[in-house]
């Protein structure tokens, strides 16, 4: 895969294998990098060089949401699970997993375990917290689905909801 010529207006097609699951995408604020997910793997791409820079692994289930911090130094991915989902935060430069945060579901609809699904995540401007929007009390009873959508702000260092 060749580099993109500076000032080029020609479209570039970069085929990203999304494996299985719903592919997600986040772009760095400087426009130099983007991160994609497919299944439970994230890939960091350099747009100017049209090549993959790093692979992030760790989530046990499908990734539903991605985010890059404003300074481009962190990437986060959120999963969906019965009982509790998880948010993973990596250092972009080293690939080190900095945080693995449990996102519990709330059960207000009977005695079956609800899903915790993060539909969208974003870093706060200072990069110390994540805003997590999703369905954290999702349950199906027959043909009826019950959901409670919640936005949570989560401190990355502690994993606590603010």
């Amino acid at each position: 895969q060749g580099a993109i010529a500076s000032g080029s207006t020609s479209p570039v097609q970069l085929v990203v294998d999304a494996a299985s699951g719903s592919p997600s995408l986040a772009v760095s604020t400087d426009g130099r990098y983007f991160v994609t997910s497919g299944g439970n793997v994230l890939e960091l791409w350099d747009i100017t060089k049209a090549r993959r820079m790093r692979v992030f692994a760790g989530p046990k289930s499908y990734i539903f949401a991605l985010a890059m911090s404003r300074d481009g130094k962190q990437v986060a991915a959120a999963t969906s699970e019965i009982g509790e989902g998880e948010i993973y935060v990596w250092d972009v430069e080293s690939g080190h997993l900095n945080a693995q945060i449990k996102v519990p579901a709330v059960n207000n609809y009977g005695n079956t375990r609800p899903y915790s699904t993060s539909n969208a995540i974003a870093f706060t401007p200072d990069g110390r917290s994540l805003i997590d929007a999703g369905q954290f009390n999702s349950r199906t009873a027959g043909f009826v689905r019950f959901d409670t959508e919640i936005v949570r702000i989560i401190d990355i260092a502690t994993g606590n909801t603010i």
Side-chain angles (χ1 to χ4, degrees), residues 66-70 73-77 88-90 121-131 156:
L66 291 177
M68 286 192 82
S69 61
R70 182 178 283 183
K73 294 182 179 181
Q74 298 180 92
V75 63
Y88 297 79
V89 181
W90 292 271
I121 55 174
F123 283 91
T124 55
D126 64 7
R128 294 181 185 165
S129 301
L130 283 163
I131 301 166
I156 295 171

PDB file of all heavy atoms in Angstrom, residues 66-70 73-77 88-90 121-131 156:
ATOM      1  N   LEU A  66     -16.353   3.214  19.624  1.00  0.00           N
ATOM      2  CA  LEU A  66     -14.944   3.610  19.677  1.00  0.00           C
ATOM      3  C   LEU A  66     -14.820   5.101  19.921  1.00  0.00           C
ATOM      4  O   LEU A  66     -15.709   5.865  19.558  1.00  0.00           O
ATOM      5  CB  LEU A  66     -14.254   3.338  18.335  1.00  0.00           C
ATOM      6  CG  LEU A  66     -14.020   1.925  17.894  1.00  0.00           C
ATOM      7  CD1 LEU A  66     -13.397   1.926  16.505  1.00  0.00           C
ATOM      8  CD2 LEU A  66     -13.114   1.217  18.859  1.00  0.00           C
ATOM      9  N   ALA A  67     -13.677   5.507  20.475  1.00  0.00           N
ATOM     10  CA  ALA A  67     -13.381   6.930  20.624  1.00  0.00           C
ATOM     11  C   ALA A  67     -11.870   7.117  20.659  1.00  0.00           C
ATOM     12  O   ALA A  67     -11.137   6.232  21.104  1.00  0.00           O
ATOM     13  CB  ALA A  67     -13.996   7.477  21.906  1.00  0.00           C
ATOM     14  N   MET A  68     -11.429   8.271  20.187  1.00  0.00           N
ATOM     15  CA  MET A  68     -10.035   8.700  20.340  1.00  0.00           C
ATOM     16  C   MET A  68     -10.046   9.986  21.154  1.00  0.00           C
ATOM     17  O   MET A  68     -10.929  10.832  20.985  1.00  0.00           O
ATOM     18  CB  MET A  68      -9.381   8.964  18.985  1.00  0.00           C
ATOM     19  CG  MET A  68      -9.066   7.693  18.230  1.00  0.00           C
ATOM     20  SD  MET A  68      -8.001   7.982  16.791  1.00  0.00           S
ATOM     21  CE  MET A  68      -6.402   8.020  17.601  1.00  0.00           C
ATOM     22  N   SER A  69      -9.064  10.118  22.036  1.00  0.00           N
ATOM     23  CA  SER A  69      -8.972  11.331  22.843  1.00  0.00           C
ATOM     24  C   SER A  69      -8.582  12.514  21.962  1.00  0.00           C
ATOM     25  O   SER A  69      -8.018  12.343  20.880  1.00  0.00           O
ATOM     26  CB  SER A  69      -7.961  11.148  23.973  1.00  0.00           C
ATOM     27  OG  SER A  69      -6.659  10.893  23.442  1.00  0.00           O
ATOM     28  N   ARG A  70      -8.888  13.697  22.437  1.00  0.00           N
ATOM     29  CA  ARG A  70      -8.622  14.915  21.678  1.00  0.00           C
ATOM     30  C   ARG A  70      -7.140  15.056  21.325  1.00  0.00           C
ATOM     31  O   ARG A  70      -6.799  15.501  20.231  1.00  0.00           O
ATOM     32  CB  ARG A  70      -9.086  16.123  22.485  1.00  0.00           C
ATOM     33  CG  ARG A  70      -8.896  17.437  21.752  1.00  0.00           C
ATOM     34  CD  ARG A  70      -9.402  18.589  22.567  1.00  0.00           C
ATOM     35  NE  ARG A  70     -10.852  18.608  22.474  1.00  0.00           N
ATOM     36  CZ  ARG A  70     -11.614  19.518  23.018  1.00  0.00           C
ATOM     37  NH1 ARG A  70     -11.075  20.490  23.716  1.00  0.00           N
ATOM     38  NH2 ARG A  70     -12.913  19.483  22.895  1.00  0.00           N
ATOM     39  N   LYS A  73      -3.737  10.580  22.090  1.00  0.00           N
ATOM     40  CA  LYS A  73      -2.868   9.684  22.858  1.00  0.00           C
ATOM     41  C   LYS A  73      -3.578   8.456  23.415  1.00  0.00           C
ATOM     42  O   LYS A  73      -2.924   7.516  23.856  1.00  0.00           O
ATOM     43  CB  LYS A  73      -2.209  10.445  24.000  1.00  0.00           C
ATOM     44  CG  LYS A  73      -1.244  11.501  23.506  1.00  0.00           C
ATOM     45  CD  LYS A  73      -0.578  12.213  24.649  1.00  0.00           C
ATOM     46  CE  LYS A  73       0.400  13.248  24.123  1.00  0.00           C
ATOM     47  NZ  LYS A  73       1.088  13.941  25.208  1.00  0.00           N
ATOM     48  N   GLN A  74      -4.927   8.457  23.394  1.00  0.00           N
ATOM     49  CA  GLN A  74      -5.686   7.333  23.928  1.00  0.00           C
ATOM     50  C   GLN A  74      -6.776   6.917  22.948  1.00  0.00           C
ATOM     51  O   GLN A  74      -7.317   7.744  22.222  1.00  0.00           O
ATOM     52  CB  GLN A  74      -6.372   7.716  25.246  1.00  0.00           C
ATOM     53  CG  GLN A  74      -5.445   8.090  26.370  1.00  0.00           C
ATOM     54  CD  GLN A  74      -6.252   8.436  27.597  1.00  0.00           C
ATOM     55  OE1 GLN A  74      -6.523   7.576  28.426  1.00  0.00           O
ATOM     56  NE2 GLN A  74      -6.652   9.692  27.723  1.00  0.00           N
ATOM     57  N   VAL A  75      -7.081   5.625  22.978  1.00  0.00           N
ATOM     58  CA  VAL A  75      -8.207   5.103  22.218  1.00  0.00           C
ATOM     59  C   VAL A  75      -9.027   4.247  23.179  1.00  0.00           C
ATOM     60  O   VAL A  75      -8.474   3.593  24.069  1.00  0.00           O
ATOM     61  CB  VAL A  75      -7.744   4.304  20.975  1.00  0.00           C
ATOM     62  CG1 VAL A  75      -6.934   3.084  21.355  1.00  0.00           C
ATOM     63  CG2 VAL A  75      -8.904   3.912  20.095  1.00  0.00           C
ATOM     64  N   ALA A  76     -10.350   4.290  23.028  1.00  0.00           N
ATOM     65  CA  ALA A  76     -11.241   3.521  23.904  1.00  0.00           C
ATOM     66  C   ALA A  76     -12.226   2.720  23.059  1.00  0.00           C
ATOM     67  O   ALA A  76     -12.603   3.138  21.971  1.00  0.00           O
ATOM     68  CB  ALA A  76     -12.002   4.454  24.840  1.00  0.00           C
ATOM     69  N   ALA A  77     -12.608   1.563  23.583  1.00  0.00           N
ATOM     70  CA  ALA A  77     -13.593   0.706  22.927  1.00  0.00           C
ATOM     71  C   ALA A  77     -14.555   0.178  23.985  1.00  0.00           C
ATOM     72  O   ALA A  77     -14.148  -0.134  25.105  1.00  0.00           O
ATOM     73  CB  ALA A  77     -12.897  -0.464  22.239  1.00  0.00           C
ATOM     74  N   TYR A  88     -12.542  -0.477  27.384  1.00  0.00           N
ATOM     75  CA  TYR A  88     -11.096  -0.649  27.385  1.00  0.00           C
ATOM     76  C   TYR A  88     -10.465   0.649  26.906  1.00  0.00           C
ATOM     77  O   TYR A  88     -10.932   1.254  25.944  1.00  0.00           O
ATOM     78  CB  TYR A  88     -10.683  -1.776  26.439  1.00  0.00           C
ATOM     79  CG  TYR A  88     -11.225  -3.125  26.833  1.00  0.00           C
ATOM     80  CD1 TYR A  88     -12.543  -3.486  26.557  1.00  0.00           C
ATOM     81  CD2 TYR A  88     -10.419  -4.049  27.489  1.00  0.00           C
ATOM     82  CE1 TYR A  88     -13.035  -4.724  26.916  1.00  0.00           C
ATOM     83  CE2 TYR A  88     -10.913  -5.293  27.856  1.00  0.00           C
ATOM     84  CZ  TYR A  88     -12.219  -5.626  27.565  1.00  0.00           C
ATOM     85  OH  TYR A  88     -12.711  -6.848  27.925  1.00  0.00           O
ATOM     86  N   VAL A  89      -9.383   1.074  27.571  1.00  0.00           N
ATOM     87  CA  VAL A  89      -8.668   2.283  27.179  1.00  0.00           C
ATOM     88  C   VAL A  89      -7.196   1.937  26.999  1.00  0.00           C
ATOM     89  O   VAL A  89      -6.563   1.390  27.905  1.00  0.00           O
ATOM     90  CB  VAL A  89      -8.820   3.402  28.238  1.00  0.00           C
ATOM     91  CG1 VAL A  89      -8.080   4.663  27.798  1.00  0.00           C
ATOM     92  CG2 VAL A  89     -10.291   3.702  28.508  1.00  0.00           C
ATOM     93  N   TRP A  90      -6.669   2.232  25.796  1.00  0.00           N
ATOM     94  CA  TRP A  90      -5.273   1.941  25.475  1.00  0.00           C
ATOM     95  C   TRP A  90      -4.493   3.224  25.236  1.00  0.00           C
ATOM     96  O   TRP A  90      -5.038   4.223  24.766  1.00  0.00           O
ATOM     97  CB  TRP A  90      -5.157   1.120  24.194  1.00  0.00           C
ATOM     98  CG  TRP A  90      -5.657  -0.271  24.248  1.00  0.00           C
ATOM     99  CD1 TRP A  90      -4.964  -1.396  24.595  1.00  0.00           C
ATOM    100  CD2 TRP A  90      -6.960  -0.718  23.888  1.00  0.00           C
ATOM    101  NE1 TRP A  90      -5.764  -2.495  24.489  1.00  0.00           N
ATOM    102  CE2 TRP A  90      -7.004  -2.112  24.056  1.00  0.00           C
ATOM    103  CE3 TRP A  90      -8.118  -0.066  23.444  1.00  0.00           C
ATOM    104  CZ2 TRP A  90      -8.122  -2.865  23.788  1.00  0.00           C
ATOM    105  CZ3 TRP A  90      -9.245  -0.810  23.181  1.00  0.00           C
ATOM    106  CH2 TRP A  90      -9.240  -2.203  23.351  1.00  0.00           C
ATOM    107  N   ILE A 121     -19.332   6.316  22.751  1.00  0.00           N
ATOM    108  CA  ILE A 121     -18.451   6.799  23.812  1.00  0.00           C
ATOM    109  C   ILE A 121     -17.640   7.968  23.269  1.00  0.00           C
ATOM    110  O   ILE A 121     -17.408   8.074  22.065  1.00  0.00           O
ATOM    111  CB  ILE A 121     -17.504   5.703  24.372  1.00  0.00           C
ATOM    112  CG1 ILE A 121     -16.675   5.063  23.260  1.00  0.00           C
ATOM    113  CG2 ILE A 121     -18.279   4.670  25.152  1.00  0.00           C
ATOM    114  CD1 ILE A 121     -15.639   4.083  23.774  1.00  0.00           C
ATOM    115  N   ALA A 122     -17.232   8.851  24.186  1.00  0.00           N
ATOM    116  CA  ALA A 122     -16.397   9.990  23.816  1.00  0.00           C
ATOM    117  C   ALA A 122     -15.552  10.369  25.022  1.00  0.00           C
ATOM    118  O   ALA A 122     -16.003  10.254  26.165  1.00  0.00           O
ATOM    119  CB  ALA A 122     -17.253  11.177  23.387  1.00  0.00           C
ATOM    120  N   PHE A 123     -14.330  10.800  24.760  1.00  0.00           N
ATOM    121  CA  PHE A 123     -13.482  11.316  25.820  1.00  0.00           C
ATOM    122  C   PHE A 123     -13.904  12.739  26.163  1.00  0.00           C
ATOM    123  O   PHE A 123     -14.335  13.495  25.286  1.00  0.00           O
ATOM    124  CB  PHE A 123     -12.016  11.354  25.369  1.00  0.00           C
ATOM    125  CG  PHE A 123     -11.334  10.019  25.381  1.00  0.00           C
ATOM    126  CD1 PHE A 123     -11.340   9.213  24.255  1.00  0.00           C
ATOM    127  CD2 PHE A 123     -10.668   9.571  26.513  1.00  0.00           C
ATOM    128  CE1 PHE A 123     -10.703   7.985  24.254  1.00  0.00           C
ATOM    129  CE2 PHE A 123     -10.033   8.346  26.526  1.00  0.00           C
ATOM    130  CZ  PHE A 123     -10.046   7.545  25.396  1.00  0.00           C
ATOM    131  N   THR A 124     -13.776  13.101  27.431  1.00  0.00           N
ATOM    132  CA  THR A 124     -13.941  14.502  27.796  1.00  0.00           C
ATOM    133  C   THR A 124     -12.714  15.251  27.266  1.00  0.00           C
ATOM    134  O   THR A 124     -11.690  14.623  26.961  1.00  0.00           O
ATOM    135  CB  THR A 124     -14.056  14.658  29.330  1.00  0.00           C
ATOM    136  OG1 THR A 124     -12.913  14.049  29.957  1.00  0.00           O
ATOM    137  CG2 THR A 124     -15.341  14.034  29.852  1.00  0.00           C
ATOM    138  N   PRO A 125     -12.797  16.578  27.135  1.00  0.00           N
ATOM    139  CA  PRO A 125     -11.671  17.323  26.561  1.00  0.00           C
ATOM    140  C   PRO A 125     -10.331  17.101  27.258  1.00  0.00           C
ATOM    141  O   PRO A 125      -9.284  17.091  26.606  1.00  0.00           O
ATOM    142  CB  PRO A 125     -12.124  18.776  26.676  1.00  0.00           C
ATOM    143  CG  PRO A 125     -13.608  18.699  26.582  1.00  0.00           C
ATOM    144  CD  PRO A 125     -13.960  17.438  27.336  1.00  0.00           C
ATOM    145  N   ASP A 126     -10.349  16.881  28.578  1.00  0.00           N
ATOM    146  CA  ASP A 126      -9.081  16.675  29.291  1.00  0.00           C
ATOM    147  C   ASP A 126      -8.567  15.230  29.200  1.00  0.00           C
ATOM    148  O   ASP A 126      -7.472  14.928  29.663  1.00  0.00           O
ATOM    149  CB  ASP A 126      -9.199  17.100  30.758  1.00  0.00           C
ATOM    150  CG  ASP A 126     -10.186  16.264  31.561  1.00  0.00           C
ATOM    151  OD1 ASP A 126     -10.704  15.250  31.051  1.00  0.00           O
ATOM    152  OD2 ASP A 126     -10.453  16.644  32.718  1.00  0.00           O
ATOM    153  N   GLY A 127      -9.361  14.312  28.620  1.00  0.00           N
ATOM    154  CA  GLY A 127      -8.931  12.928  28.446  1.00  0.00           C
ATOM    155  C   GLY A 127      -8.951  12.082  29.701  1.00  0.00           C
ATOM    156  O   GLY A 127      -8.513  10.934  29.695  1.00  0.00           O
ATOM    157  N   ARG A 128      -9.503  12.610  30.791  1.00  0.00           N
ATOM    158  CA  ARG A 128      -9.507  11.871  32.058  1.00  0.00           C
ATOM    159  C   ARG A 128     -10.779  11.068  32.294  1.00  0.00           C
ATOM    160  O   ARG A 128     -10.808  10.201  33.160  1.00  0.00           O
ATOM    161  CB  ARG A 128      -9.316  12.839  33.219  1.00  0.00           C
ATOM    162  CG  ARG A 128      -7.967  13.492  33.217  1.00  0.00           C
ATOM    163  CD  ARG A 128      -7.829  14.408  34.397  1.00  0.00           C
ATOM    164  NE  ARG A 128      -6.567  15.118  34.312  1.00  0.00           N
ATOM    165  CZ  ARG A 128      -6.269  16.180  35.019  1.00  0.00           C
ATOM    166  NH1 ARG A 128      -7.151  16.660  35.879  1.00  0.00           N
ATOM    167  NH2 ARG A 128      -5.109  16.768  34.878  1.00  0.00           N
ATOM    168  N   SER A 129     -11.814  11.373  31.529  1.00  0.00           N
ATOM    169  CA  SER A 129     -13.094  10.687  31.697  1.00  0.00           C
ATOM    170  C   SER A 129     -13.668  10.318  30.338  1.00  0.00           C
ATOM    171  O   SER A 129     -13.251  10.854  29.312  1.00  0.00           O
ATOM    172  CB  SER A 129     -14.092  11.593  32.437  1.00  0.00           C
ATOM    173  OG  SER A 129     -13.611  11.964  33.700  1.00  0.00           O
ATOM    174  N   LEU A 130     -14.639   9.400  30.373  1.00  0.00           N
ATOM    175  CA  LEU A 130     -15.363   9.001  29.175  1.00  0.00           C
ATOM    176  C   LEU A 130     -16.845   9.266  29.375  1.00  0.00           C
ATOM    177  O   LEU A 130     -17.379   9.047  30.474  1.00  0.00           O
ATOM    178  CB  LEU A 130     -15.165   7.515  28.898  1.00  0.00           C
ATOM    179  CG  LEU A 130     -13.838   7.115  28.280  1.00  0.00           C
ATOM    180  CD1 LEU A 130     -13.613   5.622  28.439  1.00  0.00           C
ATOM    181  CD2 LEU A 130     -13.794   7.502  26.817  1.00  0.00           C
ATOM    182  N   ILE A 131     -17.490   9.714  28.336  1.00  0.00           N
ATOM    183  CA  ILE A 131     -18.941   9.833  28.327  1.00  0.00           C
ATOM    184  C   ILE A 131     -19.455   8.603  27.602  1.00  0.00           C
ATOM    185  O   ILE A 131     -19.037   8.317  26.479  1.00  0.00           O
ATOM    186  CB  ILE A 131     -19.390  11.121  27.612  1.00  0.00           C
ATOM    187  CG1 ILE A 131     -18.773  12.329  28.322  1.00  0.00           C
ATOM    188  CG2 ILE A 131     -20.909  11.211  27.573  1.00  0.00           C
ATOM    189  CD1 ILE A 131     -18.857  13.605  27.524  1.00  0.00           C
ATOM    190  N   ILE A 156     -11.745   7.540  34.179  1.00  0.00           N
ATOM    191  CA  ILE A 156     -10.917   6.449  33.652  1.00  0.00           C
ATOM    192  C   ILE A 156     -10.003   5.868  34.726  1.00  0.00           C
ATOM    193  O   ILE A 156      -9.831   4.658  34.804  1.00  0.00           O
ATOM    194  CB  ILE A 156     -10.104   6.924  32.431  1.00  0.00           C
ATOM    195  CG1 ILE A 156     -11.047   7.282  31.278  1.00  0.00           C
ATOM    196  CG2 ILE A 156      -9.092   5.870  31.991  1.00  0.00           C
ATOM    197  CD1 ILE A 156     -10.380   7.967  30.110  1.00  0.00           C
TER     198      ILE A 156
END
